[in-house]
Amino acid sequence: MILEGTHTRSIARTADGKGICILDQRQLPWEIRWVELRDLDSAAVAIREMWTRGAPMIGATAAYGLAMALVVDASDAGLDAAYATLVETRPTAINLRWALDQVRAAVQGLPETERAAAAYARADAICDEDAELCRAIGEHGLDLLRELHARHPDRPLNILTHCNAGWLATVDYGTATAPIYLAHDAGIPVHVWVDETRPRNQGALLTAFELRNHGVPHTVVADNAGGLLMMQGQVDAVIVGTDRVTANGDVCNKIGTYLKALAAQDNGVPFYVALPYTTFDPATASGADIPIEARSPEELTRLTGPDDTGRIATVRVTDSPALNPAFDVTPARLVTGYITERGVLDCI
């Protein structure tokens, strides 16, 4: 990722190797604030309260959280208790459980004195692998974007995305954004329509922040503008990330994704989902079986940002009761293809 002109990963070990540093995404784009997590509880809070978010980043943070817990208590009981604490922090993203399972498998059977070191090593490897997976997703997606641009070489390639599936949601590159960054770096003129992504505005706040730092032309639009843009021929493709893809190819992603897929189908716009294998969940038959996280209504009824003086303020947008499901499910029939580290697949 490019942050203030420097290539930086979104998660790293602290200088002493005992904790991790992550960006506090709640402060972006108004403030770039790195925070240190040094124990199980801080890792759990960071995931649950969305200091960090995005399926791969949740998994990486949880992996280190389990390692930090084993420094304190490396017994089987300690391992099980830490696992239970972390696995319940976010119920929808499958990478969380996958990463915890990876770390648990790496330490089971080892003497207690060796468990913490093995856990840190596996967490490090998870991060390195995620960066490489996203890079591979970007390479395969780049070939796709080249083909799409060749159809209209006289103008920029217009991509619409939803939520944040960029490097903030992964260790590096992102999933849906990886092809965009590589296309931009390769000289393909790319323009991104950035859904604001209510209620937490991860598109307007986070994806736009990323694209701005990388120098990619983009425009923030209201969530409901996507259908009109497609109807007007101003969208060449929709690319989104995902928190879980089920055995039948259904896609669970940030609330509002399903509506983009419907509009894309109605207007003949290809709809692609970018994901690494760690986000595929073969044990879940279909999207109907995915637990949909319900978050606090206050995320919907309040907005936070700087006023004209630069002071950060929170304001209400309604006093009525509110419902805040965090995700929806896009049926596989609406997906044109899945951009993976293995290539662009037309089915899972």
Side-chain angles (χ1 to χ4, degrees), residues 23-67:
L23 278 167
D24 185 347
Q25 297 187 30
R26 301 169 303 169
Q27 312 304 322
L28 294 173
W30 319 117
E31 178 185 357
I32 297 174
R33 181 188 299 176
W34 290 93
V35 294
E36 290 189 2
L37 309 179
R38 289 196 165 269
D39 54 33
L40 168 68
D41 290 341
S42 62
V45 168
I47 295 169
R48 184 182 298 109
E49 297 185 4
M50 296 181 70
W51 302 9
T52 190
R53 37 145 302 283
M57 260 297 287
I58 289 172
T61 304
Y64 281 118
L66 193 51

Side-chain angles (χ1 to χ4, degrees), residues 177-193:
T177 58
I180 294 170
Y181 291 137
L182 268 60
H184 172 79
D185 293 348
I188 298 173
V190 179
H191 170 263
V192 183
W193 296 111

Side-chain angles (χ1 to χ4, degrees), residues 11-21 64 116-117 119-124:
I11 185 171
R13 291 249 220 136
T14 54
D16 63 9
K18 297 178 180 179
I20 56 172
C21 290
Y64 281 118
Y120 276 113
R122 186 66 190 103
D124 289 341

Side-chain angles (χ1 to χ4, degrees), residues 11 32 36 52 56 58 96 115 121 130 132 156 187 198 206 225 330:
I11 185 171
I32 297 174
E36 290 189 2
T52 190
I58 289 172
L96 172 62
R115 285 184 168 184
D130 183 69
E132 289 305 313
R198 285 278 292 146
L206 303 180
T330 298

